Structure formats: structure tokens, C-alpha cells
Amino acid sequence: MSEAPTRCETCGDELPARGDGPGRPARFCSRACRQRAYRRRSGDQQPEVEQPEVEQPEVNRGATSARPLPASRDAFIGRAQELTDITALLRRSRLVSLVGPGGAGKTRLATEFAARAATTGPDGVWLVELAPLTSEHLLVPTIAAALGVREQGGEDLVDTIVQALQGKRALLVLDNCEHLVDASASLADALLTGCPQLRILVTSRESLDLPGEAVLRVGHLSLPDDTPVARSDAVQLFVERARLLRPDFEPTDATRQVVAEICVRLDGMPLAIELAARWVRVLSVEDILARLDDRFELLSRGPRTAAVRHRDLRATIEWSYELLDDAERAALRRLSVLAGDFSLDSAGAVCGTSPQATLRLLADLDAKSLVVAVPGVVQRFRQLESIRLYAREKLVDAGELAETTERLVGWLTGLAESHYVDQILYTVEDDGPKVDDERDNLLQAVEWATERRDERLTVLAAALGGAWRRQGHTVQIRKLLEAALTITKRDNPYRSLALQELGWFSYNAGDFERSSELAVEAMELEEPRGRPVALARGLALLTVVYQSTDNTAASVRCAERVVELLRPLNRPLDTAVSMHNLGYALMATGDLARAAALIEESLPVYLELADPVKQLETLHSAGALALERGQHVQAGDYFLRSLEACPEAGSPAMYPIEGLAVVAAHTGEPKRALLLGTAMAAQLRKWRLGREPYWQRHVDVAMAAARDALSAQAARETTEAGERMTLAQAIAYSLRTPLAEDSPLSQRELDVAMLTAEGLTNREIAVRLSISERTVETHLLHIRTKLDLRTRAQVAAWAVERGRVSSRN
């Protein structure tokens, strides 16, 4: 076994007593030496900028002309909003940092802005490239050389630069500061302090963290998920760069969709997209897409004159990895076992760190653009896929893959077991990890457990099945559950949980006999185990199976047993669930008094503690109960509240809409009833969902009454219109108010129109209604289209004429 080195491989100085990572002896005396060695290995070594000679007698303090900016050789695509944002930020702050991962296009964005920045720096615009520098000692001389400032003997060079720039309205662009971030921060601080009219634009993978610094995150180009394919900046970039190499490249609609998928797989990162586009000379776009699983081999042939890290995706990420300390590297490696986005809890589980330490590591990696916070979601993060794949390679090289994956599987097993064994529903106050949030990680854990025939497979598969079932996915997960049950033994402590989930999939597919068999088998396994929640889950499944087969007495018996199991646990929401389910089962038997008592007792608990989808369900039940009592107005109010509780819930929204159709049939609105009823029937067929016989009878009676009240032609036209109606359109149509019955606009569109009449801007409307500014623009477009209006002023005038319509916030 060879002895550990005692001197730095780069400079030969004696090494400190530390290691370069787990099990690795130190090889370099400093980060600068490690970086220099890396650059030499990667072929990116460029001539270092030498310090100007001290003997120069003159100080060029009068330099005002900028060094010529590099002329662009290809089209600048997208980033219009970022250019606008930089302008606005530089008006408010004299230091703006463009921060983002490698390959995000920070340099190109800064260069493009600098080329347009005559008003920002009328006395000069300088662009200084710092990537070639291997020592912080070269930073100040490099800046001085770029500015044409010569060193004056006996005077600090920083002071000389400050004197040269004093009184000048100039813009200094410092490109690629991440490996010299401390030195760059010190210099920027000195320049901004001494030069009150100077502005500095920085590109880096982490901010300088100075007072008054404005940070603009530079992320992906717009993707087809955000905008139509034809308008996606990422797709446009691919096509533009491909045409430079193949002038005849003209994508069809089909190939443009493939290009869109390539851009999504590459996270919309400009460098990766440009490297992929270079392959159109010899590969079809379908071939390029198929080879992205081995992207580091594929995306390694950039322009000859570019630095290695700009012509090789692996080198781009390696540059960032080499700048991390040991703890950050270990965390980045271990996070690679997490697919999709992840929480603080799951990150801590795989990293093996305390919550506080995990938060610090994630904050550090986020600051260095190696993980990103998920917008709009508290404490959830993600890695760009290319970074994750690179980190996974490092995890394998470090021999940590099995250990880290085992930690993930153990944590997910505990989460899944808690969900299935300890409680029926999470309350809105629960801020811990949720099974539904870990779908992608559960899939990885299931695959890992399947390969090893691990007994935890069944509980992991059950959790994955439940998470995806609630999202409307069925076929693939159903097969996965069946496979899990095939390879696990009957005495497996989690087998009943997988049986229950498979039973729910069978129920949703209309196979009630198979669902009943699975539920009964699950209950037989659970009866001797003393796990009341797990047993109650199986009974709840049997309850709905019996409802669907019109066995109302058996349905009530199962629901009563669930209440008996859950009430002693002193969990208000779980108890409310069981009471609600029993009340709904009793409605089918005609025991309305008892049903009303149960639903009315459970409803306030749902509204206080349950998530919006569950609130939707119980409000629908309250509406159904009102229908049974002949209270049509009250029923309509409950169905409307049900829909308003969660208007974007997907398939669950169909049932309150159907309830509104039934109410309309009973209150003299046959056309509205038939339109909504037909639309929901089409949606239920699309989602392969059915109705219990009890509810089916309500719908059939209402639809027959609506058709009888219309002429044959009117019924036919209304039916055809309903079948064409999307779920989103049906929701918008259902949410109108009585005052707006003569309006073709949805209630939200009416809100936007009214606020427009009040003189609010799109941004102010977005804030008032808690929606995005883009959504406001979309609503205004729909309003003008529906009303045949051409201008915003005409929309405002129309809204004033309808001044009695109030906004419903």
C-alpha cells in the first residue's frame, strides 16, 4: 500500500493534516492548487494574466474608453425578461449578480446586456473574464489591465483603480467569479465604496453576498411545459443552432415535439441544448433523444475554440464540484439517489445529517446553484437532472450507492408505514413529510426492493400505489402491485396494505368482485395484528364496494365497524372520515335522520382540518343529503361550495358539477342540466370512473327530466355541446353566479373584467385575485374573444355596464 503524499502535487509545499474526502488523503495544499491541477488535467489551461511590472512610471488614470466587447457570432435567443430585469435591478442597486448553474448562459446574457448598456455605462463598459485565473492574487492586476490602469510605485493597485474610475458612470462586468468569490467580493466592495457612480454586473454560480447586492437567478429557458412548443425559447435555441450546422433542418410538428422532449430532459439549460443540437449533422432528433441516458458521452463535442467546460457537459459540472468542500461534495453525491424534488426530511435521511446540518448544506448548495428550491413550495428542493446524474457517478465511485439507497429505503418505509398504520388522513396542520410528495423516490425504492426481494417491498409498493392512484394513474402501478404480491410471502407484515391498494385499483376499474376478494383477504391478515387503522382501511374499501353493488345493508355494517375502530383513537379527522362514510352509506338505505346527524357532525371537522379535495367530497355528500330531503336550493349551495373548495382537483370535481346538473334539472334549467350532465358523463367515461347505484339513480332521473323539457333539436344540440366541453370549461361554467346568468364569462373572468374597470393593472389584479400575471393576461384574451371586444378600454366599459356584478374573492 503506497504512502500518503506529504507535499502538494501542484506547488510542492508541505500538505496540511487533512484529507480530500472520505478515505482520501490530501493531495493539494489549497483550493487554488487543486483548481490549477484540475484545469491542467482537463485541458482548459490558458495563459495566466501576468501582473503589470511595477516599474511602469505612468498611471493611466484618464482611461475612459471600454475594451471592445466580444462580437456575437450567433443569434441571442430568449431571455427578454432577464434583460429587462437586469436594467431594473441596476437602477436600484449598483451591484447585480447573475447566479445560476453551469451552462445556464450567464456569460452570454451578461455579454448581451453589456452590448446594449450604453445608458448604464456611458463612460465605459468593461467585460473581464475571470475563469482563466488560477489564483486570487491575479484578480486585481487582471482588472487593472482590462481597464488600462497601470500600477504606480508605492500605491496600492486597488486604490489606483478606484481613482481611475471615480466620477465615471461606468459598468464593469466580472464574468465567472465562483472560484474567486471571496477575492471578487472584496474588490467589488472596495470599488463600489470608492466609485459612487460605478455599477458592477457579476456572473457566478454563487452570489458575492455583499450589502446592497441584487441577485438574479438565471435558470432554464422557457420550456414547452410553460408555453406552447412553437414559442418555447429552449426549442427555438435548439432549432436555431441546428440550422447553423444543417441549413436544411426544418422540423415538422412531430419532430418539434421530439425537440421539445430533448429540451425538457436537458432541463432547458442552454449549453446542454446547444451541445445536443450539434449532433443533427449525423443523428436524427429521435436518435439524440434516445442517447440522452448517456448524456455525458454525447454532450462532449463543443466548438474547438471554447474552453473545455463550455464544450463538455461533464467538465461544466466538474468545475462546480471541484469548488465544493468535502461535506458539500458528500451531500451532493448522496442527494443524487433522490429523484424529482425532495424535502428537508428526505435529504437529511440520505445524507445522514441532522435537520439543522441538512438545512445548512442545502442552503450552501442552493447558493452555489447545485440544488434549486422548488418555486412556490416550502422546503422542497431539486437537482437539475444532469447534475444529479453526474453526482450519482461520483456516489458510485465513492462506493456509497448501496449505503445511501438503504438509508432512503429505510426512511420511506417508515413514512409509508406511518401513513398506512397510524392514521387515515393527514390534517392541513401536519407539516411533516407526505407520502404523495415522494412518488418519484418511492418508485426508485420499489425498484431497488424488487431486485433484492426485500420484504419492505409491499409497504413501499402500497405507498407508491396510493400516491399515484390519487393522481389518476392506474395501469402501470396496478401491475407493479401484483408483481410485489407475487414475490412476497403471505406472512409479510405489510402484505395487507398492498392488497388494499390493489383492491382500490380494481374498484376504480369496475372489477368489484376482485376488489372485494382483495379487501377480504387484507382484513383476514389484519384482524389478529391489532392495527385498527390498517383494518379500517380494508373495511372502508368493502364499504364502497358494497355501495357500488347495491348491497346497502352490508355497506352500512362495514362503515359502522370502521367508526367503532377509529372513534377510540381520539383523532378528530379520522373519526370524521368514518362518520362521513357511514352517513353516506345510510343515505342509500333511506335513513336520512341518522345520515344527517353524522354528516352534519363531521362537516365542520372536515372544513377545519381536511385538505381541499376531502372538503370537496364531504360538501358533495351534504349536497346529496339535501337533494334527498328535496331541499334543492340548499343542495345547489353545497355543490357550489364543494366545487369552490378545490376547483382544480381533476376527476373529483366531476361529482359536484354533476350535482349542480341535477339541481338545475329540478329548478327549471333543463338546458343547463343537460349540458353539465352530458359533459360529466363524457369525463367519467374518459377517466373510466363510475357512480354508485344510489347516485346513478339521481343522475338518471334528472337527465331524463331535462331531455323531456327540451325539444328534440335543443336536446340534441345541448348534448353535442356537452360532449365537446372540457372539464375546465365545465368548472368555469358551473362557477357563475345568478347575477351573471346572461354573461358568457366565467366568474373569474367577471372578476378580472370588474377589476379592469376599476383601473387596476394586470399585476395589481394578479395580487388581488392571488393568481399569476400571465393568467390575468389569458383571462383578458378570453374576455375579448367571448365579448367580441378589441381593447382593454372596451372591456372596462362593458364591466361598468354590468356594475352590479361584484367580485367574489
Side-chain angles (χ1 to χ4, degrees):
M1 184 173 180
S2 60
E3 294 183 3
T6 59
R7 293 193 174 274
C8 175
E9 292 184 7
T10 299
C11 67
D13 288 349
E14 186 174 347
L15 291 171
R18 61 167 178 78
D20 276 350
R24 294 189 299 172
R27 297 164 53 199
F28 308 105
C29 65
S30 66
R31 180 181 291 183
C33 283
R34 184 171 61 213
Q35 184 65 30
R36 185 179 298 177
Y38 161 69
R39 297 182 65 79
R40 189 183 302 121
R41 291 197 307 272
S42 66
D44 199 19
Q45 187 74 23
Q46 300 187 23
E48 296 182 358
V49 179
E50 296 184 1
Q51 183 170 336
E53 296 182 6
V54 177
E55 300 84 290
Q56 296 289 344
E58 297 294 329
V59 179
N60 185 9
R61 291 194 174 98
T64 58
S65 62
R67 181 181 181 183
L69 295 170
S72 62
R73 304 183 188 184
D74 46 31
F76 181 76
I77 304 295
R79 301 295 192 198
Q81 185 60 53
E82 286 87 343
L83 288 170
T84 301
D85 291 342
I86 295 171
T87 301
L89 290 172
L90 280 171
R91 289 196 186 109
R92 299 199 303 265
S93 173
R94 294 194 296 122
L95 172 63
V96 174
S97 293
L98 306 183
V99 174
K106 302 181 295 295
T107 295
R108 183 61 190 276
L109 174 60
T111 304
E112 183 70 19
F113 178 82
R116 307 179 185 190
T119 57
T120 305
D123 292 332
V125 177
W126 287 269
L127 173 65
V128 186
E129 169 59 57
L130 303 182
L133 305 187
T134 56
S135 169
E136 62 182 25
H137 301 298
L138 295 171
L139 176 63
V140 175
T142 299
I143 302 294
L147 296 172
V149 173
R150 296 181 180 181
E151 186 169 1
Q152 176 70 30
E155 184 176 270
D156 185 278
L157 187 53
V158 174
D159 293 335
T160 306
I161 296 172
V162 168
Q163 291 180 45
L165 293 176
Q166 273 183 344
K168 291 184 169 52
R169 297 192 310 166
L171 174 66
L172 178 61
V173 181
L174 302 180
D175 189 31
N176 290 303
C177 295
E178 54 270 355
H179 61 307
L180 304 170
V181 66
D182 292 335
S184 298
S186 297
L187 177 61
D189 187 50
L191 294 179
L192 292 169
T193 300
C195 308
Q197 298 192 69
L198 175 69
R199 280 170 167 72
I200 299 178
L201 179 63
V202 167
T203 76
S204 178
R205 300 185 191 187
E206 62 177 305
S207 67
L208 301 187
D209 198 19
L210 288 177
E213 177 185 18
V215 177
L216 179 63
R217 293 277 180 176
V218 181
H220 61 74
L221 293 170
S222 64
L223 288 165
D225 290 343
D226 308 320
T227 188
V229 171
R231 293 169 53 191
S232 162
D233 290 336
V235 172
Q236 289 181 30
L237 177 65
F238 184 100
V239 173
E240 173 68 23
R241 298 300 186 256
R243 284 174 177 161
L244 293 177
L245 299 167
R246 262 190 56 193
D248 64 338
F249 181 75
E250 194 61 47
T252 63
D253 289 342
T255 55
R256 199 177 290 272
Q257 290 294 336
V258 178
V259 171
E261 189 170 350
I262 291 171
C263 294
V264 170
R265 289 278 304 276
L266 295 176
D267 296 302
M269 289 292 107
L271 175 63
I273 292 170
E274 291 186 339
L275 292 173
R278 295 178 66 83
W279 283 99
V280 298
R281 291 176 295 186
V282 293
L283 295 175
S284 69
V285 292
E286 290 82 4
D287 289 334
I288 294 172
L289 177 62
R291 285 168 167 77
L292 287 185
D293 288 338
D294 192 13
R295 64 186 63 191
F296 295 122
E297 182 66 26
L298 182 73
L299 307 181
S300 60
R301 298 174 64 88
R304 286 191 180 95
T305 57
V308 169
R309 62 193 176 83
H310 283 160
R311 64 175 185 261
D312 185 318
L313 183 62
R314 185 193 300 276
T316 298
I317 302 172
E318 183 96 13
W319 168 271
S320 296
Y321 187 76
E322 289 290 331
L323 297 176
L324 301 178
D325 63 29
D326 294 336
E328 291 167 342
R329 290 184 188 180
L332 190 72
R333 292 195 303 268
R334 293 164 186 171
L335 290 172
S336 69
V337 302
L338 298 170
D341 57 63
F342 54 86
S343 66
L344 183 63
D345 298 280
S346 53
V350 299
C351 291
T353 49
S354 68
Q356 194 61 37
T358 304
L359 184 58
R360 284 197 300 269
L361 283 167
L362 289 176
D364 290 342
L365 293 173
D366 175 70
K368 295 175 172 63
S369 304
L370 289 168
V371 302
V372 294
V374 178
V377 183
V378 178
Q379 288 191 356
R380 287 199 75 83
F381 306 84
R382 63 182 290 266
Q383 288 179 314
L384 299 182
E385 187 63 11
S386 296
I387 292 174
R388 192 180 77 85
L389 292 174
Y390 173 86
R392 191 173 182 87
E393 287 185 358
K394 291 294 184 182
L395 187 72
V396 173
D397 292 344
E400 299 174 341
L401 178 60
E403 177 187 354
T404 306
T405 305
E406 171 58 35
R407 284 200 293 265
L408 173 62
V409 171
W411 181 77
L412 288 172
T413 298
L415 178 63
E417 187 173 9
S418 174
H419 175 74
Y420 279 93
V421 176
D422 294 341
Q423 63 188 120
I424 296 290
L425 290 180
Y426 293 113
T427 73
V428 292
E429 296 174 348
D430 288 328
D431 56 2
K434 309 287 195 302
V435 165
D436 285 10
D437 293 335
E438 305 298 334
R439 293 186 298 271
D440 296 329
N441 295 321
L442 280 165
L443 180 58
Q444 287 202 137
V446 165
E447 292 172 349
W448 188 88
T450 300
E451 291 174 2
R452 292 158 180 76
R453 302 181 76 89
D454 191 293
E455 71 171 10
R456 295 170 294 183
L457 171 61
T458 46
V459 69
L460 294 168
L464 178 64
W468 281 110
R469 172 172 57 82
R470 287 183 284 274
Q471 294 296 315
H473 302 275
T474 57
V475 178
Q476 180 184 0
I477 303 300
R478 186 177 180 181
K479 291 179 179 178
L480 185 150
L481 281 165
E482 290 171 341
L485 289 167
T486 300
I487 65 177
T488 54
K489 299 177 181 178
R490 182 175 172 79
D491 62 354
N492 184 296
Y494 307 117
R495 183 177 178 85
S496 64
L497 310 180
L499 287 167
Q500 291 169 12
E501 273 305 328
L502 185 56
W504 278 110
F505 279 106
S506 299
Y507 170 79
N508 289 335
D511 189 349
F512 301 135
E513 182 177 356
R514 174 65 172 154
S515 181
S516 177
E517 292 172 355
L518 292 165
V520 169
E521 183 181 351
M523 288 171 55
E524 290 173 351
L525 292 173
E526 278 302 327
E527 286 284 5
R529 289 200 173 116
R531 301 191 297 191
V533 171
L535 179 57
R537 286 180 179 275
L539 285 162
L541 174 58
L542 271 181
T543 299
V544 298
V545 170
Y546 288 142
Q547 285 175 356
S548 298
T549 55
D550 218 11
N551 189 345
T552 55
S555 176
V556 169
R557 286 197 299 272
C558 289
E560 287 175 332
R561 178 98 190 274
V562 173
V563 174
E564 293 171 2
L565 287 167
L566 297 183
R567 193 188 288 274
L569 301 181
N570 194 28
R571 293 177 185 156
L573 184 55
D574 288 352
T575 303
V577 170
S578 65
M579 294 169 61
H580 163 266
N581 293 343
L582 175 56
Y584 194 81
L586 286 166
M587 274 195 286
T589 68
D591 191 348
L592 300 185
R594 191 176 169 203
L598 289 163
I599 289 177
E600 289 170 2
E601 184 179 350
S602 64
L603 182 57
V605 181
Y606 265 92
L607 297 181
E608 179 184 357
L609 298 178
D611 63 62
V613 174
K614 288 300 176 184
Q615 292 179 21
L616 178 152
E617 293 174 0
T618 193
L619 285 164
H620 176 271
S621 297
L625 179 62
L627 276 181
E628 288 286 353
R629 292 169 153 182
Q631 299 167 342
H632 298 133
V633 174
Q634 186 177 15
D637 182 62
Y638 276 125
F639 290 135
L640 189 61
R641 288 174 60 192
S642 174
L643 188 57
E644 289 175 331
C646 194
E648 297 178 1
S651 59
M654 298 174 195
Y655 297 106
I657 294 175
E658 206 164 44
L660 289 169
V662 173
V663 170
H666 289 296
T667 54
E669 294 184 284
K671 188 172 182 179
R672 177 177 174 81
L674 188 56
L675 182 69
L676 288 175
T678 303
M680 290 308 95
Q683 290 296 318
L684 287 167
R685 290 194 300 271
K686 173 185 173 182
W687 289 68
R688 298 182 181 179
L689 296 175
R691 311 178 186 90
E692 304 98 336
Y694 153 74
W695 182 247
Q696 182 73 58
R697 286 191 288 270
H698 273 293
V699 174
D700 289 345
V701 169
M703 292 303 100
R707 287 191 182 89
D708 289 344
L710 297 171
S711 66
Q713 181 177 351
R716 183 175 62 256
E717 291 174 351
T718 302
T719 299
E720 291 172 353
E723 289 174 345
R724 292 193 301 268
M725 185 177 271
T726 66
L727 180 57
Q729 290 170 337
I731 290 172
Y733 182 74
S734 299
L735 289 176
R736 64 146 172 94
T737 62
L739 284 172
E741 284 181 353
D742 61 339
S743 169
L745 305 184
S746 70
Q747 182 60 48
R748 182 60 82 192
E749 288 166 350
L750 285 167
D751 291 339
V752 171
M754 290 300 299
L755 293 175
T756 301
E758 294 177 19
L760 273 64
T761 65
N762 286 2
R763 178 166 296 182
E764 290 168 339
I765 294 172
V767 172
R768 180 78 65 86
L769 298 179
S770 300
I771 58 179
S772 71
E773 194 170 352
R774 181 179 294 180
T775 301
V776 175
E777 295 171 357
T778 301
H779 283 317
L780 283 169
L781 176 62
H782 292 167
I783 291 167
R784 291 197 300 270
T785 301
K786 290 180 179 181
L787 301 179
D788 195 23
L789 301 176
R790 301 178 63 182
T791 67
R792 186 186 186 93
Q794 289 175 332
V795 171
W798 180 90
V800 169
E801 293 176 1
R802 303 296 195 281
R804 292 178 301 163
V805 181
S806 59
S807 177
R808 296 179 54 181
N809 293 313

